[in-house]
Amino acid sequence: MSPRTTHVDPRVTGAMGALSGAAKKGLGDPVLAELVMMRASQINACAFCLDMHVDEAVKNGESTKRIALLNAWEEAGELFTARERAALALTEAITVLTGGTSRASGSGGGFVPDDVYERAAAHFDEGELAHLIGVITVINSWNRLMVSRRIAPGGPAW
């Protein structure tokens, strides 16, 4: 697979990079940030971002076992903490918006279910939760930017 294009306006990548940095810093947990970014990238089939964030997770001390089992985090027992499981559930809900519709009629996606949000809110204070949502939002944007242009792992980002 070859890239469709490697061109992106540097103002876009700069703004996204700033958002990513601010959200990760505000969350204050680099390992959790990488878990969240890897999980969203798995769901979105973004090999470029998954490759990058696996490397970052390892640099931050994440184990290969947890990385290998991230796709099955719900079945991994106590390998992931309750806080991490709440963050991963929120990541999945925001990434696929499976909670129903925000419209009075119709079906399908549209919002994050209350129980998933409340579970996360039980483990993160308001500021941490805002930053967690920021991390999830920005990695989904990065995933879409890379997947839509077919950027392969280790390939040119822009």
Side-chain angles (χ1 to χ4, degrees), residues 76-131:
E78 300 301 315
L79 191 60
F80 296 95
T81 67
R83 185 174 195 257
E84 290 168 337
R85 290 192 305 269
L88 292 168
L90 186 62
T91 299
E92 292 182 0
I94 291 173
T95 299
V96 297
L97 293 174
T98 59
T101 180
S102 58
R103 298 176 187 214
S105 62
S107 63
F111 61 87
V112 174
D114 289 342
D115 64 318
V116 173
Y117 185 88
E118 289 165 8
R119 181 175 165 196
H123 291 278
F124 296 89
D125 67 30
E126 191 171 285
E128 291 169 330
L129 188 55
H131 285 95

Side-chain angles (χ1 to χ4, degrees), residues 3-125:
R4 290 176 171 152
T5 181
T6 57
H7 177 74
V8 178
D9 187 316
R11 293 172 294 190
V12 171
T13 58
M16 287 176 58
L19 174 59
S20 181
K24 287 167 67 173
K25 184 176 181 182
L27 181 59
D29 185 340
V31 171
L32 180 60
E34 297 305 328
L35 287 172
V36 162
M37 289 189 280
M38 287 185 294
R39 184 64 192 122
S41 298
Q42 287 174 334
I43 294 166
N44 291 322
C46 184
F48 180 91
C49 292
L50 191 53
D51 179 56
M52 175 190 296
H53 292 291
V54 164
D55 288 347
E56 288 299 313
V58 170
K59 285 180 193 173
N60 283 303
E62 185 56 87
S63 73
T64 55
K65 183 174 192 166
R66 284 172 30 111
I67 292 170
L69 291 172
L70 181 60
N71 196 43
W73 66 268
E74 288 179 291
E75 290 78 32
E78 300 301 315
L79 191 60
F80 296 95
T81 67
R83 185 174 195 257
E84 290 168 337
R85 290 192 305 269
L88 292 168
L90 186 62
T91 299
E92 292 182 0
I94 291 173
T95 299
V96 297
L97 293 174
T98 59
T101 180
S102 58
R103 298 176 187 214
S105 62
S107 63
F111 61 87
V112 174
D114 289 342
D115 64 318
V116 173
Y117 185 88
E118 289 165 8
R119 181 175 165 196
H123 291 278
F124 296 89
D125 67 30

